[in-house]
Each structure stands twice: as C-alpha cells, then as structure tokens.
C-alpha cells in the first residue's frame, strides 16, 4: 500500500523518458541493471521506506538510465488502488453537472486518477444501483450529489470503506463541498423585492429526491414571508428541470387571475423557459415580467435579455471535490465541509415593477 511519500518517489521513475529504445524498459530490466531482484524494484516503487538508502538510490539511478516508467496496471497493483474515482450525478443533460465533472476530471488526471461517471435521472433506486456498480468495480472514492439517499444506498455506503464526498448539500459527519441553496433562493427574492415586486412566483424542479431545489424554494419563501409577502402554494410550483418545464410552469402562473410580476426559477433552465413562454405570449421581459434564475449557465449571459441569476461556482465544486477525494484516499487531513459562496449577478431580465 502506498504511503504518503510514495507518490513523490514514484515521480522519479517517470523522468528521462528520452532514451532511444525499441522496447519499453521493464521491472526486470531495472532489476538487472541495479543488481537487485524484481521484488526490490517493485518495493522501491510502492514502499521506498522499506529499502536502505543505498539500494533505493541504485534502483532510482537504473530507472532513470533505462527510462523505466511504471504503467497504470503496475501502479494499481503496487498501491492496492484502482486509480479510479466514481461520480454519480442526477443527469448529464444539465450543464451544471457537466461543468463540475469536467473540473473533476482535470484535477483527477493531474493526480493520476481516472473518472467514471453514472447518472440516475433523479431516481433514488437508480442511484443505489449506480453506487453498487461503481463500488463493485473497485473505485477508490465516490462523489455524490445532494444529502438525501435511499436507505439501500445508505446501507451500502456504511458497509464500504470507500471515501465519499457529497456535493451541493451535505450532512454532519460526512465530507462535503456545499453551497448555501437557501441563500441562493433568498438572494433571488431579495433582488425582486428591492425592485418593488410584491407578487412573486417560484418555479422549481420536483422536490422528490432533490433537496437542492426544495432548499432554494424554502430560502425564497422564508425571505418573502419575513417581508410580509408570504407565497401561497399556487405561486410555488414544481416542474421538470427543463426548458419545457419552465415554459409550462410560467404558463400556469400567467394564467392566474392575478399573475405574478416576477418569477424565480430554481435553475437557469427553468428561468429561461419562463422567458421564452412570456415572450411567446407577447410579453416583454422585464417590462411585463421580471425573471431570475439560479446557477448562472454560460448561455445565461447571452440571452436577449441576459438573465439575472445567482451564480453557483459549479466548476469550483467539482475541482474541490476531486482534491478532497484524493486527499482522503491518500489519508491526508481535510476540512470536513467546504462551503462555496454564491452571489447575485444582475443582468437585464429584471427591472422595476411596472406601475399598474
């Protein structure tokens, strides 16, 4: 099993690859050149602290001279690791998860790991199967989204020694990279209240197996209630987390006898769907309807008008999670929970409430 110093020692074997040879150097070649056994060379790679300084130096010099580079299979065999990390996300259709995974991959590649990805389409049973599959494949660590799990998944995680990092939301006693989803909803609501809006609708994705969407709605409703603007249930609805879901939710709210003058979308895709629906009905955003999203997708800044949204640093979530998992695997100390701040990005989809 690798000790902390082994990673630095391993790098020694990856220098000096420029040796011209028609055949890749093998452990047996290094052993012959250094005058030691193949087992000693393997030990120099995986447990250098067990060798005396003279032998270790001789093996390293031979490895450099021959251009020996241990392959992934040899490293995995020596370390007892698969050098893979599993990530289970709700969907691959949403850019917020794609961006987080891309950042994870970049960090993991730099530390010698590969990323395996599964999705569950907001289905607790499917998540349990995905976790079971990844653990069965021997991943060294797991990234999961949200804090809510099916009992079957909780039991599986409790029985495995695989390090797990939760993302977006956490629970005490578990490593996590979190954002304050309630705060995100609050920021969106506060912005609209400051613009003079008093009838505000909230459209989120389904709260079933999605604690992030529920928390964003809760944050917005709590702030509005504190301002004397309690949101009745018919102004707080749940839809699929898609553009079409945003359009249908917006249509429902605009069909009310007293439609809202502003809408908060639980994610940018829902908010963008609201804008499309409003404009299709001949309404002007923001003169007739103000719209706020949460996430800050790349495209949100390039809409007409650009979308006001709460920025959630998804790339930073992925990168931080990857680093935490690597540190846990390598038995380094970590902060049990890292909170990533969110902030409001004001663009042109929100405006002062029109005088009626």
């Amino acid at each position: 099993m690798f000790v902390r110093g082994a990673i630095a020692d391993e790098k020694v074997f990856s220098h000096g690859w420029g040796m011209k040879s028609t055949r890749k150097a093998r452990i047996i070649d290094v052993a012959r050149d250094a005058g030691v056994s193949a087992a000693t060379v393997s030990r120099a790679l995986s447990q250098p602290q067990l060798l005396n300084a003279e032998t270790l130096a001789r093996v390293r010099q031979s490895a450099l001279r021959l251009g020996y580079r241990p392959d992934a299979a040899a490293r995995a065999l020596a370390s007892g690791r698969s050098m893979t990390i599993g990530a289970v996300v709700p969907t691959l259709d949403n850019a917020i998860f794609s961006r987080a995974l891309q950042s994870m991959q970049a960090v993991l590649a730099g530390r010698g790991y590969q990323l395996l990805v599964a999705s569950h389409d907001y289905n607790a049973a499917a998540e349990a199967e995905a976790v079971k599959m990844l653990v069965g494949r021997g991943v060294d660590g797991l990234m999961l989204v949200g804090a809510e799990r099916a009992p079957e998944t909780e039991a599986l995680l409790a029985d495995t020694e695989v390090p797990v990092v939760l993302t977006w939301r956490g629970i005490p006693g578990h490593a996590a990279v979190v954002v304050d989803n309630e705060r995100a909803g609050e920021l969106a609501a506060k912005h609209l209240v400051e613009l003079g809006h008093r009838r505000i609708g909230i459209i989120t994705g389904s709260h079933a197996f999605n604690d992030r969407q529920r928390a964003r709605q809760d944050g917005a409703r709590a702030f509005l209630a504190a301002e004397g603007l309690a949101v009745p249930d018919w102004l707080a609805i749940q839809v699929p987390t898609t553009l079409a879901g945003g359009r249908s939710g917006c249509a429902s709210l605009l069909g009310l006898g007293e439609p809202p003058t502003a809408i908060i979308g639980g994610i940018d895709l829902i908010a963008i769907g609201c804008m499309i629906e409003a404009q299709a009905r001949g309404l002007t955003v923001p003169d007739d309807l103000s719209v706020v999203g949460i996430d800050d997708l790349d495209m949100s800044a390039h809409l007409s008008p650009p979308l006001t949204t709460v920025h959630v640093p998804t790339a930073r979530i992925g990168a931080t999670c990857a680093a935490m998992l690597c540190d846990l695997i390598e038995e380094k100390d970590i902060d049990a929970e890292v909170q990533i701040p969110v902030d409001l990005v004001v663009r042109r989809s929100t405006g002062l409430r029109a005088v009626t």
Side-chain angles (χ1 to χ4, degrees):
M1 182 175 180
F2 265 117
V3 296
R4 288 174 187 158
I7 292 177
D9 292 325
E10 180 186 344
K11 293 178 181 176
V12 174
F13 291 88
S14 63
H15 294 298
W17 302 345
M19 174 185 176
K20 294 182 179 178
S21 173
T22 58
R23 179 174 61 82
K24 179 182 176 182
R26 302 167 299 172
I27 281 183
I28 191 65
D29 300 318
V30 176
R32 187 179 296 115
D33 187 80
V36 298
S37 69
T40 298
V41 175
S42 179
R43 195 172 297 116
L45 170 63
S46 62
Q47 296 176 298
Q49 78 282 1
L50 298 182
L51 301 183
N52 64 55
E54 180 184 353
T55 302
L56 183 59
R58 193 161 70 249
V59 171
R60 287 174 171 174
Q61 288 167 4
S62 294
L64 287 170
R65 182 162 49 251
L66 298 177
Y68 172 71
R69 182 185 182 188
D71 60 22
R75 286 195 298 270
L77 183 62
S79 67
R81 299 182 194 144
S82 66
M83 304 309 293
T84 58
I85 298 292
V88 185
V89 296
T91 177
L92 296 174
D93 284 340
N94 194 318
I96 63 171
F97 298 119
S98 300
R99 188 187 302 173
L101 292 171
Q102 183 65 34
S103 295
M104 279 192 72
Q105 175 64 39
V107 172
L108 293 174
R111 296 181 68 163
Y113 293 86
Q114 288 295 317
L115 181 64
L116 300 179
V117 178
S119 64
H120 55 72
D121 197 25
Y122 297 95
N123 182 293
E127 185 193 47
E129 286 301 314
V131 169
K132 186 184 300 182
M133 179 270 294
L134 289 169
V135 170
R137 292 196 58 164
V139 295
D140 298 320
L142 276 172
M143 172 267 218
L144 301 176
V145 175
E148 293 182 346
R149 314 255 85 81
E152 179 185 358
T153 310
E154 292 285 4
L156 177 61
L157 295 175
D159 288 340
T160 181
E161 295 183 356
V162 174
V164 177
V165 173
L166 306 179
T167 54
W168 271 270
R169 284 182 72 81
I171 52 179
H174 290 264
V177 183
V178 303
V179 295
D180 190 337
N181 290 279
E182 288 87 352
R183 176 64 174 163
E186 176 187 334
L187 286 173
K190 183 174 185 290
H191 173 64
L192 293 173
V193 169
E194 289 174 345
L195 290 173
H197 294 277
R198 294 296 178 266
R199 289 196 310 279
I200 298 171
I202 306 170
I203 306 176
T204 63
S206 171
H207 295 179
F209 197 49
N210 192 332
D211 50 9
R212 289 83 62 204
Q213 288 295 289
R214 182 169 63 250
R216 292 174 183 185
Q217 184 191 97
D218 289 348
R221 293 182 84 166
F223 176 83
L224 292 170
E227 295 291 314
L229 303 171
V231 178
D233 289 343
W234 60 84
L235 277 178
I237 61 177
Q238 301 171 39
V239 300
T241 52
T242 60
L243 289 173
R247 288 197 67 169
S248 66
C250 182
S252 295
L253 293 185
L254 292 179
L256 296 173
E258 285 190 285
T261 62
I263 292 175
I264 298 169
I267 62 172
D268 277 9
L269 279 179
I270 289 175
I272 294 168
C274 288
M275 290 175 57
I276 293 171
E277 180 63 25
Q279 292 168 339
R281 291 167 173 258
L283 301 178
T284 300
V285 176
D287 294 343
D288 299 316
L289 180 70
S290 286
V291 180
V292 183
I294 299 175
D295 280 331
D296 195 16
L297 299 178
D298 287 341
M299 66 172 149
S300 297
H302 304 286
L303 302 172
S304 181
L307 178 67
T308 293
T309 185
V310 178
H311 177 68
V312 178
T314 51
R316 188 174 166 191
I317 292 172
T320 304
C321 174
M324 287 178 70
L325 279 168
C326 291
D327 287 344
L328 283 170
I329 293 165
E330 295 161 15
E331 299 182 355
K332 297 178 180 177
D333 292 336
I334 65 164
D335 292 326
E337 183 175 287
V338 176
Q339 185 159 68
I340 307 295
V342 298
D343 58 276
L344 181 71
V345 180
V346 178
R347 299 192 180 109
R348 297 203 306 274
S349 69
T350 51
L352 293 169
R353 178 192 177 198
V355 177
T356 57

